[in-house]
Amino acid sequence: MTSPGRTERLVLPGVLTAEQAARTVAGILATQRPDGAIPWFRGHHLDPWDHTEAAMALDAAGEHERAEAAYDWLARHQNPDGSWYAAYADGDAEAPTDRGRETNFCAYLAVGVWHHYLSTGDEAFLDRMWSAVHAAIEYVLELQQPGGEIGWKREDDGTPVNDALLTGSSSIYQALRCALALAEQREEPQPDWELAVGRLGHAIRSHPERFLDKSRYSMDWYYPILGGAVRGSQARERIDAEWEQFVVPGLGVRCVLPNPWVTGGESAELALALWAMGESERAVQILKWMQHLRAEDGMYWTGYVFDDDAIWPRELTSWTAGSLLLAVAALGGDEATTTVFGGEHLPTGLDPDCCR
């Protein structure tokens, strides 16, 4: 089991002790396959985005070798076009169960690789992963639309789905900035990426009509902040406008309106977004509330239906645990995590008006 001494940075009063953090990390490690894959839980599927989030949590806990194994899994199993499939049965690369290739899933490798590099300073790792990051970003940007937003995915047959999701594009915005940071570290300028991230950020901040209407989902509410496109007074106004609809005091954050269902992943991610906009007290409160989802083994249930007093679904997911650990790491000042999610030191791209 992971030693509590390695998780002292993940202590947060009322949320985690070192021993509790160690149990949560051990739960993610137990989910990880020997080949590095991290499915939702053993017997369920792996998706590249949640796999990366769990790997980032391992780095935040000091489990750098196991995190590196997760990124190596992605590099080994990248499709020739730079993508990954949306789902693999139990993390088996030979058993994809959804052959769609979602853009935000593919872009997120850049976030994880930059986070790992900041956590370890491992130049050899960065050099080894650069080609996979570069190919993934090029795949994603093939689906950027004239308005700056990013099309959702390609179908199995290669047909592009040009409709854009605000949550997905917000995640891609963060990934593009991390990819640019990687490029700067390697002294390999990517001017096309700089323009792409500028156009994307402008669309997220100023053109909601360019995205499918998913406003019932809490992720569309906070992800523009979590991804770094929205900050300052615009972020505060956005959070305050929908707070009473999405936040259930004492329990956490609804996944979708009007369903009486709070979820751990959304709660932890909202806490991370609140921290990023300077609202640490509210962030800690949300994390305290979600502890009713903690299981005896240190993992976290996906969600809770409060009208029925029922845990649902009955699954303990690696990504829910991972999102909690990342939020705690940010609040505790972990440098890699604060850099990746705070965004102050990430490239911002080019103003889309500058090149007209």
Side-chain angles (χ1 to χ4, degrees):
M1 180 175 173
T2 296
S3 166
R6 300 192 71 179
T7 53
E8 290 179 354
R9 73 185 78 186
L10 297 176
V11 171
L12 185 62
V15 178
L16 287 180
T17 64
E19 291 77 14
Q20 288 172 330
R23 288 185 65 81
T24 302
V25 174
I28 297 175
L29 292 172
T31 303
Q32 188 176 31
R33 291 163 43 115
D35 64 359
I38 310 177
W40 285 21
F41 53 89
R42 292 310 303 271
H44 205 276
H45 75 260
L46 172 152
D47 74 71
W49 198 101
D50 289 311
H51 165 92
T52 298
E53 183 171 46
M56 292 170 67
L58 293 180
D59 266 327
E63 295 286 348
H64 302 310
E65 290 185 6
R66 298 296 289 271
E68 184 174 349
Y71 296 122
D72 284 340
W73 186 93
L74 287 170
R76 289 196 307 272
H77 301 300
Q78 189 173 32
N79 293 323
D81 65 357
S83 70
W84 290 270
Y85 296 125
Y88 301 83
D90 196 35
D92 183 351
E94 302 303 317
T97 56
D98 182 346
R99 291 179 178 268
R101 288 161 284 159
E102 300 188 19
T103 48
N104 69 298
F105 282 11
C106 298
Y108 209 57
L109 173 67
V111 181
V113 168
W114 186 236
H115 184 262
H116 183 80
Y117 174 73
L118 293 172
S119 298
T120 64
D122 188 344
E123 294 281 354
F125 168 82
L126 189 155
D127 291 343
R128 189 171 75 250
M129 295 300 298
W130 172 245
S131 62
V133 171
H134 189 278
I137 295 301
E138 290 292 302
Y139 167 79
V140 169
L141 292 183
E142 287 179 358
L143 275 77
Q144 186 163 37
Q145 304 303 301
E149 70 276 19
I150 308 291
W152 175 27
K153 65 176 180 176
R154 287 189 186 274
E155 301 285 11
D156 183 14
D157 64 1
T159 301
V161 179
N162 293 327
D163 291 331
L165 302 174
L166 180 58
T167 292
S169 284
S170 296
S171 176
I172 292 168
Y173 179 82
Q174 180 189 27
L176 286 173
R177 296 179 71 197
C178 289
L180 283 170
L182 288 163
E184 287 186 0
Q185 182 66 29
R186 289 180 53 82
E187 299 183 351
E188 295 191 27
Q190 302 293 325
D192 289 346
W193 297 4
E194 293 184 59
L195 182 57
V197 75
R199 294 171 59 214
L200 177 57
H202 176 74
I204 292 168
R205 287 186 291 272
S206 303
H207 291 282
E209 75 280 359
R210 295 178 183 171
F211 301 91
L212 294 177
D213 182 6
K214 301 289 183 180
S215 56
R216 293 174 56 234
Y217 292 83
S218 60
M219 294 176 78
D220 262 27
W221 169 49
Y222 64 76
Y223 245 88
I225 301 164
L226 181 60
V230 174
R231 286 287 193 268
S233 60
Q234 187 179 5
R236 290 189 293 274
E237 290 169 6
R238 186 179 189 90
I239 289 298
D240 290 344
E242 303 293 337
W243 183 270
E244 292 186 0
Q245 290 199 75
F246 284 114
V247 175
V248 182
L251 295 178
V253 179
R254 293 178 192 257
C255 178
V256 57
L257 298 173
N259 298 0
W261 182 43
V262 295
T263 48
E266 277 78 358
S267 296
E269 287 181 344
L270 174 62
L272 193 50
L274 289 167
W275 165 82
M277 55 185 278
E279 295 276 356
S280 292
E281 289 187 9
R282 282 207 284 185
V284 172
Q285 185 65 72
I286 293 288
L287 294 179
K288 288 180 178 179
W289 287 343
M290 72 168 280
Q291 294 313 302
H292 69 100
L293 296 173
R294 184 178 176 89
E296 291 184 2
D297 65 355
M299 297 297 278
Y300 287 79
W301 298 106
T302 297
Y304 172 72
V305 181
F306 49 86
D307 276 3
D308 298 332
D309 189 24
I311 293 291
W312 183 85
R314 300 291 297 186
E315 57 185 33
L316 297 164
T317 41
S318 58
W319 49 269
T320 301
S323 63
L324 180 281
L325 292 176
L326 287 172
V328 171
L331 283 157
D334 176 65
E335 185 175 357
T337 306
T338 58
T339 298
V340 165
F341 288 99
E344 291 86 354
H345 303 295
L346 291 176
T348 56
L350 297 176
D351 185 333
D353 293 328
C354 75
C355 301
R356 289 182 179 175

